[in-house]
Amino acid sequence: MAVRDILKMGDPRLLRTAQPVPQSGFDSDALHLLVSDMLDTMACANGAGLAAPQIGVDLQLVVFGSREANPRYPGRPLVPPTVLVNPLITPLAADANATGEPTEETDWEGCLSVPGLRAMVPRWSRIRYTGFDQFGDPIDRTVEGFHARVVQHECDHLWGKLYPMRVRDFSQFGYTEVLFPEIAPCK
Ligand code: NI
């Protein structure tokens, strides 16, 4: 178990399309060790989530969620602690009975690879995500709001996308200490 260094925006390793974890990689010592390091690293930085590319590992693996409120995102609902491998995201219509197009919503985001900054970022309001945990057991969830946002943000790291690439209104992009002085600075 170890806290790993988090790459910062500008590092080309954050811009790669990550490789899928092969079938033989599930429930392996190497994958369990990687997941353990990612959870330690996320906890140390008070992250809402962390993607393997952020520690320089070129694999489709993200961790997110916590059992306690996250001090970097006060007032947001809890997201269950999750290890998600080889994910697939499908945008859904706004409610279970709706037949219309998927809708977007905008909210503030930050990123451990973009320290000290926040922006308003559009994301799908409601998604289905599928994939596997580190043991190879399938995950299939339909979620909305903050949970959906966290999943989309973390999985974006697997496609080489950082949240500033999603920002449309740069008048709502700034320093956390100015926008949200009540949020403790990221260690
Ligand atoms: Ni991020």
Side-chain angles (χ1 to χ4, degrees):
M1 304 221 303
V3 172
R4 307 270 288 263
D5 288 339
I6 298 176
L7 306 183
K8 291 181 185 169
M9 184 168 64
D11 191 305
R13 288 172 287 179
L14 290 170
L15 302 176
R16 297 185 292 199
T17 299
Q19 301 300 308
V21 172
Q23 200 60 44
S24 61
F26 286 97
D27 202 15
S28 64
D29 289 348
L31 189 64
H32 290 309
L33 183 63
L34 175 59
V35 167
S36 174
D37 282 1
M38 287 177 62
L39 293 172
D40 288 348
T41 305
M42 178 175 74
C44 182
N46 283 330
L50 187 73
Q54 291 182 276
I55 57 167
V57 174
D58 188 23
L59 287 174
Q60 292 182 19
L61 164 61
V62 300
V63 299
F64 54 84
S66 60
R67 291 189 181 81
E68 295 172 8
N70 186 311
R72 295 183 74 234
Y73 295 93
R76 303 307 200 287
L78 285 181
V79 176
T82 303
V83 175
L84 181 63
V85 180
N86 297 351
L88 184 67
I89 293 177
T90 309
L92 298 175
D95 68 75
N97 299 317
T99 53
E101 293 293 305
T103 56
E104 290 180 347
E105 60 189 40
T106 303
D107 197 4
W108 292 100
E109 286 186 22
C111 180
L112 298 175
S113 293
V114 191
L117 292 163
R118 297 288 170 109
M120 286 289 271
V121 182
R123 300 284 184 189
W124 300 116
S125 305
R126 191 165 168 272
I127 60 168
R128 176 185 178 193
Y129 68 92
T130 59
F132 302 89
D133 68 11
Q134 67 270 47
F135 300 97
D137 293 324
I139 293 172
D140 186 343
R141 292 177 181 159
T142 296
V143 301
E144 59 190 10
F146 184 63
H147 187 160
R149 175 170 300 277
V150 168
V151 173
Q152 289 170 85
H153 175 114
E154 297 311 329
C155 292
D156 253 3
H157 281 293
L158 307 180
W159 330 129
K161 286 253 187 292
L162 299 169
Y163 82 77
M165 301 174 184
R166 301 281 189 199
V167 172
R168 295 187 194 137
D169 178 0
F170 283 92
S171 72
Q172 294 188 296
F173 189 13
Y175 290 97
T176 312
E177 65 187 50
V178 178
L179 289 161
F180 303 105
E182 69 277 15
I183 296 178
C186 182
K187 293 182 206 99

